[in-house]
Amino acid sequence: MKTFVRLAVPFMLLLGSSCSSESPAPVVEIPPCQLMEQTASLHYDPVQYPDLQLKPQTITTRLEYNDRNALATVFQTDYAGVYFDRANLKYDGKGLVKEIVHQYYRYVNEYDGQGKLLKQMRFAKRMGDLKEEQSGYYTLRYNSQGELTEAQYFNMQSGQPVAELIWRYTYVAGDPVGLEQLVPGADSYYHVQMTYDTLHLPSTPYAHTYFEPLHPPSAHNQLSYTVLENNPSYPSHTTAYTYNEAGYPVTATTRYTDGRELAMTYTYRCK
């Protein structure tokens, strides 16, 4: 399992942004409710984790927008309110996010003619001399309806890409309902079934900027994530929401089969 940050907010910590590019940020129509802040708090069941003695781990993410209403800056702070992450968002001439720059790593996006993400390259600075190196990249494929069907990750080894993992997806009404993971040339060993509500995501631009293969882009909020194998590294979970009058979630409680519970709260600026 990755760190709590990856689990709690699979696409949130990896965004962040200040629109500082040669191309201006797009002019974005303000949604009925614009996400301003979210807080994630991860709790551990003391019965299932008697030796950890862990307090709840909390991350607060604050979103800011520029004068074109495009996502401009994302700050993140820990439970004590100490800032620890920020990145710059750069746009291309079509208003698509082309680069996400953090202090020690960055992501570069490539799109097709319809604005679909085709490739996301990952770069990181080495420890010590801080020289930047490419760590790997994702490639994405779509069907004729523009739905994501496959993603593949290539790890950079001695400067050469090595195919590492493949994910295949089944979409219905804009939501991924099936997922399988496999090693190239082998059978699938990890299968997931997913269900969704029919209401708004807290922030579509925020959710869709960073590609996370085990949480592919969706049109709605995920209700259940059922792993068909016994895989403790990323367990099954269900999520219950409360919503505001405009149909945006204001709280989300996710319960994992391994005893963890993630509590999310969302704060908006609504029209």
Side-chain angles (χ1 to χ4, degrees):
M1 168 54 64
K2 302 286 185 180
T3 62
F4 154 65
V5 168
R6 180 72 174 273
L7 168 66
V9 203
F11 37 72
M12 301 167 188
L13 281 188
L14 303 168
L15 292 182
S17 23
S18 165
C19 306
S20 55
S21 166
E22 296 84 0
S23 299
V27 177
V28 178
E29 182 180 355
I30 300 177
C33 287
Q34 194 172 46
L35 182 65
M36 305 302 295
E37 185 176 284
Q38 61 190 23
T39 298
S41 184
L42 185 64
H43 303 255
Y44 294 85
D45 185 341
V47 175
Q48 293 188 247
Y49 296 91
D51 300 326
L52 291 183
Q53 301 293 317
L54 291 174
K55 296 181 179 180
Q57 301 176 39
T58 301
I59 301 293
T60 297
T61 305
R62 190 176 78 252
L63 288 73
E64 295 183 356
Y65 302 84
N66 64 12
D67 57 3
R68 293 170 170 255
N69 301 320
L71 183 61
T73 309
V74 176
F75 297 97
Q76 294 193 310
T77 57
D78 62 17
Y79 66 95
V82 178
Y83 151 81
F84 68 87
D85 191 34
R86 173 181 174 170
N88 296 326
L89 222 68
K90 299 181 180 181
Y91 294 87
D92 65 15
K94 296 181 179 180
L96 300 171
V97 176
K98 70 176 183 180
E99 193 171 0
I100 308 165
V101 184
H102 290 251
Q103 184 176 3
Y104 297 109
Y105 53 94
R106 67 187 177 101
Y107 312 101
V108 179
N109 294 332
E110 294 181 1
Y111 301 88
D112 64 13
Q114 286 70 49
K116 294 285 187 180
L117 180 64
L118 288 181
K119 186 176 183 180
Q120 186 170 82
M121 295 170 282
R122 308 289 174 90
F123 299 86
K125 294 180 180 179
R126 297 189 312 203
M127 296 294 291
D129 62 6
L130 298 181
K131 180 180 178 181
E132 183 181 80
E133 295 180 327
Q134 186 173 2
S135 56
Y137 61 88
Y138 287 96
T139 60
L140 289 78
R141 295 181 180 179
Y142 302 83
N143 61 21
S144 58
Q145 286 75 45
E147 297 170 328
L148 179 64
T149 58
E150 183 178 291
Q152 187 165 359
Y153 181 70
F154 294 83
N155 186 27
M156 299 298 290
Q157 297 182 9
S158 301
Q160 298 298 319
V162 176
E164 190 170 280
L165 285 173
I166 295 174
W167 297 266
R168 292 176 179 151
Y169 307 99
T170 301
Y171 271 74
V172 174
D175 295 313
V177 297
L179 177 161
E180 58 179 304
Q181 179 175 291
L182 60 150
V183 175
D187 294 331
S188 305
Y189 63 89
Y190 181 84
H191 298 79
V192 179
Q193 294 177 347
M194 294 163 279
T195 63
Y196 299 83
D197 64 14
T198 58
L199 300 175
H200 301 292
L201 291 173
S203 172
T204 300
Y206 191 26
H208 289 193
T209 300
Y210 170 77
F211 181 70
E212 165 57 68
L214 292 181
H215 281 272
S218 66
H220 305 100
N221 303 291
Q222 189 179 94
L223 294 173
S224 67
Y225 186 99
T226 304
V227 181
L228 303 185
E229 291 82 14
N230 182 19
N231 190 316
S233 64
Y234 206 90
S236 299
H237 50 272
T238 59
T239 305
Y241 299 89
T242 61
Y243 306 89
N244 62 18
E245 293 181 353
Y248 289 82
V250 292
T251 67
T253 302
T254 301
R255 294 181 172 87
Y256 296 84
T257 53
D258 64 0
R260 287 170 294 172
E261 180 177 299
L262 176 66
M264 299 284 297
T265 59
Y266 304 95
T267 303
Y268 301 89
R269 179 171 59 198
C270 296
K271 294 181 180 179

